[in-house]
């Protein structure tokens, strides 16, 4: 099987690879990336453990890795808590680790964020390896070094930047992904096209039916390109001081939807799909020649729930500003100036934002 | 009053200053170091708050800083807990912060470590400013970016490297330091001389009486030189991959003493003073021409408790290896090859270590 490597370049000449290959190559890749054979910590959740943990364990043991500590957590967003972070700390420290002991995050976005933050904070930083098992993790959340947990006042408010040594993305794992998760992940893929690559957005549109069917050759190409875009954007701005914020296209609306609906009611991808439709509406108000219909028809093809008209407008707007109150500062939005090009702006009126919301509530 | 700046140089051309000047220069220095006027978080403890919080608050408000959030914690090592870390997170997030909001750590080593770790983990990293109020914090713990909290299995096992933007050390604050803290801090000062600067160690010996009296001109010179040594060592090795470990001279013994006696029974400085005596004894076994008597007589002048003969030898040795079990790997010690020059070695026999302990127990 062919292998593809995408390089994520960081400040000061540092870099790490995203390796698209089979899970069975893990021991080889750990060695290639400077990790020495010895004890290691595997963090995963119950769902993923049932599907893939045995394969990971088997391949490591066969290659002579020993002292595996397996930490299996409940699946779902609520695991990103101080309690489960502390549970990982306790388990890892209880088994004897040193600063070279790698933490392998085997799972989707939640496991990546949580295990990544545990790795960032154990002995002031252990080497981290992502083994993303969901579409969203392979093209988005495992790339870029953001780790963290949630706080009652908002998502991801406690965390650290901690770059992995290696991301190993096995595309075959995605064939067993539940349909809703596949579809949610596609929202971030489409986002990458819209903010950074018009040709890629066009290709997605053309191949849409094959993508929904998870045609292997089509989705391989799609995932690698989506990961490349994310890698390029974070390479330019490792710690999100400016440019990197374009990855939040649709997310300010999405976070408000998730909060008002109650976390877990909408998947993150569903909320992002809706948020991008509102943000595109606002973009078209500021850029009248934006090919609005082309973009919105692509977004409408994301087969996720397209209605939020059971939610309250006032609450949504409050939630949007609340997000900003916690992190003070002004409300800044990511908008499109054309397909494949996004920008950050603080010049959006409350009325324009209102129009975006109304569009979602009464399409 | 004269000002002195010591620069701590980091990897990739980054750097930050240790500024020896009055607390009143804080607003000016914040601006000089790129921190923008606005809300800020002050973390301190009850003891320090009673002495210095009003001065810090006054100087900030007068200069036009507003939205100060003051977080006052119990004093003592037990504050380095997940609970108080979470308390800082809650308070800081509850008042509205963004990624530019500075965290000011006003206190000794405990506050520096705890507030530093809170700064490292709020919104994936807030700017940190150390305002060290103890001798140990001014010459040692505030310098080098180590932050963290304790875990039931050991001290500082949870944490992060998070470099400050600025350290402002006001030497006048040390005049009000309790005697025991002053004396404990001197252990780290002496350590810096022994591991890195023979001339400085000699000067300490010559000026010892003035140092104990806290003669301003003498201790000014002493503290600046001690801070310089620490800054130089950490500059060579930001994340403690090798060279930096020499700063742990005496600490492997000291950690075992602290653990067996029960945390808080000995101050850290007292334990380090004892640990250095044992490590010097071991050093002399490996380097017969080491001027052992000269070193030990300097260490004996550290006016801290010099006896641990109420502690159990077997427990001390177990604790020493336990420390290493948690962090696996072999027992490595920092030894002296001459005054002003330390090295790291794994070639110490159990018998030599036993001799070090017996020397402390039955001097």
């Amino acid at each position: 099987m062919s292998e593809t490597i995408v390089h994520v370049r960081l400040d000061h000449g540092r870099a790490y690879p995203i390796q698209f290959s089979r899970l069975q190559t893990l021991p080889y890749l750990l060695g290639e990336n400077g990790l020495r054979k010895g004890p290691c910590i595997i963090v995963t959740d119950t769902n993923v453990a049932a599907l893939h943990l045995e394969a990971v364990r088997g391949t490591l043991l066969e290659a002579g890795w020993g002292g595996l500590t397996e930490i299996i957590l409940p699946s779902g967003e609520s695991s990103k808590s101080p309690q489960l972070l502390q549970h990982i700390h306790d388990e890892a420290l209880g088994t004897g680790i040193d600063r070279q002991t790698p933490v392998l995050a085997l799972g989707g976005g939640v496991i990546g964020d949580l295990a990544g933050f545990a790795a960032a904070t154990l002995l002031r930083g252990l080497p981290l390896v992502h083994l993303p098992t969901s579409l969203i993790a392979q093209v988005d959340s495992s790339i870029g070094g953001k780790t963290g947990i949630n706080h009652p006042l908002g998502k991801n408010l406690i965390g650290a930047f901690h770059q992995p040594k290696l991301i190993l993305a096995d595309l075959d794992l995605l064939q067993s992904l539940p349909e809703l998760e596949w579809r949610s992940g596609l929202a971030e893929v489409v986002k990458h096209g819209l903010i950074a690559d018009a040709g890629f957005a066009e290709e997605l549109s053309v191949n849409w039916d094959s993508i929904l069917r998870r045609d292997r050759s089509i989705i391989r190409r799609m995932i690698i390109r989506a990961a490349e875009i994310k890698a390029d954007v974070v390479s330019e701005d490792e710690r999100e001081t400016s440019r990197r914020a374009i990855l939040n296209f649709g997310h300010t609306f999405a976070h408000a939807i998730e909060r008002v609906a109650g976390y877990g009611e909408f998947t993150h991808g569903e909320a992002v799909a809706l948020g991008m439709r509102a943000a595109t509406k606002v973009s078209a108000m500021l850029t009248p020649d934006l090919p609005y219909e082309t973009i919105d028809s692509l977004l409408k093809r994301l087969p996720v729930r397209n209605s939020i008209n059971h939610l309250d407008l006032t609450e949504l707007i409050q939630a949007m500003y609340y997000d900003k109150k916690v992190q003070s500062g002004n409300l800044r939005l990511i908008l499109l100036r054309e397909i494949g090009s996004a920008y950050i702006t603080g010049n959006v009126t409350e009325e324009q934002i209102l129009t975006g919301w109304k569009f979602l509530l009464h399409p």
Side-chain angles (χ1 to χ4, degrees), chain A residues 9-300:
Chain A
R9 295 181 204 289
L10 304 173
D11 298 346
H12 316 298
R14 292 170 302 136
Y16 60 88
I18 310 172
Q19 192 94 33
F20 292 91
S21 64
R22 300 304 310 274
L23 264 188
Q24 285 68 27
T25 61
L26 176 60
Y28 169 76
L29 292 172
L30 292 174
E32 278 282 285
N33 288 282
L35 297 162
R36 136 211 110 178
K37 220 172 272 189
C40 81
I41 312 288
I42 304 173
V43 181
T44 189
D45 69 27
T46 47
N47 291 348
V48 174
L51 292 167
H52 308 303
L53 182 55
E54 202 174 313
V56 172
R57 182 195 303 136
T59 197
L60 285 171
L61 291 177
E62 202 175 310
W65 284 70
L68 309 188
T69 300
E70 300 172 358
I71 304 175
I72 304 175
L73 306 170
S75 65
E77 185 75 25
S78 60
S79 288
K80 284 172 63 177
S81 67
Q83 289 73 31
L84 285 186
L85 176 70
Q86 212 173 316
H87 174 69
I88 302 176
H89 287 157
D90 293 347
E91 294 287 310
L93 290 170
T95 62
I97 54 176
D98 65 24
R99 283 197 189 158
Q100 271 75 52
T101 306
V103 173
L104 313 186
L106 174 68
V110 167
I111 287 296
D113 284 4
L114 175 59
F117 190 42
T121 51
L122 278 162
L123 308 184
R124 301 197 187 95
L126 299 185
L128 171 64
V129 173
H130 281 297
L131 305 173
T133 60
S134 72
L135 177 56
I136 213 165
Q138 292 197 354
V139 302
D140 190 10
S141 61
S142 73
I143 307 165
K146 284 190 177 180
T147 73
I149 57 174
N150 298 327
H151 185 273
L153 291 175
K155 287 175 75 174
N156 300 318
L157 294 179
I158 307 299
F161 283 95
H162 189 58
Q163 302 292 347
K165 297 290 179 205
L166 162 71
I167 300 173
L168 166 54
D170 183 340
L171 296 168
D172 281 5
L173 307 188
L174 302 182
Q175 296 295 331
S176 60
L177 202 65
E179 190 60 20
L180 180 62
E181 279 196 57
W182 176 254
R183 293 172 172 204
S184 301
L186 288 177
E188 303 283 0
V189 173
V190 168
K191 182 195 76 182
H192 289 178
L194 291 177
I195 62 171
D197 185 342
F200 180 52
E202 170 69 17
E203 248 180 74
L204 292 175
S205 194
V206 169
N207 294 317
W208 198 250
D209 294 335
S210 313
I211 290 169
L212 291 183
R213 279 199 313 272
R214 310 189 201 180
D215 176 296
R216 283 176 193 261
S217 66
I218 299 284
I219 68 169
R220 176 176 182 83
R221 194 181 148 86
M222 169 187 93
I223 289 169
I224 291 170
R225 181 61 194 135
E228 262 174 5
I229 291 169
K230 171 89 187 227
D232 287 349
V233 174
V234 302
S235 291
E236 284 177 52
D237 180 18
E238 184 178 340
R239 288 186 162 250
E240 192 171 81
T241 53
S242 57
R243 168 85 183 149
R244 182 167 176 164
I246 66 165
L247 293 165
N248 290 326
F249 176 58
H251 281 59
T252 306
F253 289 98
H255 290 157
I257 293 170
E258 290 181 270
R259 171 183 292 275
V260 172
Y263 290 112
E265 180 60 28
F266 286 80
T267 66
H268 181 63
E270 284 183 310
V272 168
L274 289 158
M276 288 192 290
R277 294 192 67 202
T280 303
K281 191 81 189 170
V282 175
S283 301
M285 284 184 263
L286 277 79
T287 308
D289 61 348
L290 186 74
Y292 170 77
E293 291 300 338
T294 310
I295 301 170
D296 197 56
S297 71
L298 176 58
L299 289 172
K300 275 194 291 195

